[in-house]
Amino acid sequence: MEDEESVVSQRGLMVLAKGCLELEYLAVYVSDITNASLRYIGTYSKNLCDFCLVLLEKEERITDLPLENGVRDLLRGCEKLRRFALYLRPGGLTDVGLGYIGQYSPKVRWMLLGSVGGSDTRLLEFSRGCPSLQKLEVRGYRASDSSRDLLAMARPFWNIELVPARRIVMTDQVGVPGVVEDPTHVLVAYYSLSGPRTDFPETVIPLDLLATGAEL
């Protein structure tokens, strides 16, 4: 579902959750979102196995940020969730909210998080939970200078790879090239019985290199 030209409202999302009690999959692309609408999903959509929420960059002001209480209530209510994707905007979730995701995602195996954390500390708090997690992708967080704090996230057979902040060459409307700094990092973590892969592209740093003192 997409909130295009205000077709899907917060009230409509609540009506959907209340009226579709057997819903197993829901992907929502919205320009605005509230904690109350997420709470409704957690209250009524008990059979959800796969949930995706993307907050679009269409409105300057979002009605009800941060979404930590709504995310908590959704996860507490949707106990069958196996796949969970939450792509927000800066300020969409606090340290507390990221901790809720770790605490209330006991069966989630695949997770995508975007713009939900601002530091290694947040990720470490999150990593104390999610016991069933097999693959994690985090897009858009600001790591520490070295990111070696992420070593505390290590689990048996758990590989962690980082794509550091980088410079992007872009061309403006009149064709003049320029360099734009992308200050965010991408983290990918996954289980593998065969151990870390060795075919890393230059843009990827595996966690074991961080352990030897490599800098981002």
Side-chain angles (χ1 to χ4, degrees):
M1 297 178 60
E2 289 198 31
D3 180 6
E4 188 67 32
E5 301 297 333
S6 299
V7 173
V8 180
S9 65
Q10 304 304 321
R11 183 177 180 181
L13 196 57
M14 294 177 182
V15 172
L16 173 70
K18 193 172 183 179
C20 301
L21 302 181
E22 300 302 319
L23 200 63
E24 296 183 2
Y25 167 72
L26 178 62
V28 188
Y29 296 80
V30 296
S31 57
D32 197 5
I33 191 70
T34 62
N35 281 280
S37 58
L38 295 178
R39 187 176 305 115
Y40 253 69
I41 294 172
T43 301
Y44 295 104
S45 301
K46 299 293 186 180
N47 287 311
L48 268 186
C49 299
D50 190 339
F51 176 75
C52 171
L53 172 68
V54 178
L55 182 56
L56 303 173
E57 295 279 352
K58 296 177 64 175
E59 300 290 339
E60 292 186 8
R61 182 180 180 275
I62 305 302
T63 301
D64 195 21
L65 295 185
L67 295 171
E68 54 193 32
N69 290 333
V71 169
R72 176 199 61 194
D73 294 339
L74 183 150
L75 291 172
R76 290 175 67 178
C78 301
E79 297 180 347
K80 296 182 180 180
L81 272 181
R82 298 295 187 274
R83 295 170 62 89
F84 180 66
L86 189 67
Y87 209 107
L88 302 178
R89 287 161 56 170
L93 214 64
T94 67
D95 290 356
V96 173
L98 196 57
Y100 284 156
I101 294 178
Q103 183 178 357
Y104 296 112
S105 301
K107 297 180 181 179
V108 174
R109 297 183 176 218
W110 178 93
M111 190 177 295
L112 167 64
L113 303 175
S115 297
V116 299
S119 66
D120 295 347
T121 302
R122 293 186 176 191
L123 289 174
L124 293 177
E125 178 67 26
F126 156 82
S127 70
R128 295 188 178 98
C130 302
S132 301
L133 199 60
Q134 295 183 356
K135 183 176 181 180
L136 167 69
E137 183 172 349
V138 181
R139 303 176 185 173
Y141 78 99
R142 296 177 182 271
S144 62
D145 291 338
S146 68
S147 286
R148 281 195 290 272
D149 289 344
L150 292 176
L151 292 170
M153 290 182 63
R155 304 179 182 186
F157 308 109
W158 188 240
N159 298 325
I160 300 178
E161 302 171 5
L162 293 169
V163 180
R166 61 196 186 280
R167 293 183 177 183
I168 303 174
V169 178
M170 301 183 68
T171 303
D172 63 18
Q173 295 180 349
V174 295
V176 178
V179 176
V180 177
E181 295 285 347
D182 181 1
T184 60
H185 293 62
V186 175
L187 178 148
V188 177
Y190 56 93
Y191 271 110
S192 174
L193 296 178
S194 61
R197 63 190 179 107
T198 58
D199 58 342
F200 295 102
E202 294 181 357
T203 55
V204 175
I205 298 178
L207 185 69
D208 56 349
L209 285 185
L210 291 179
T212 64
E215 297 291 330
L216 297 188

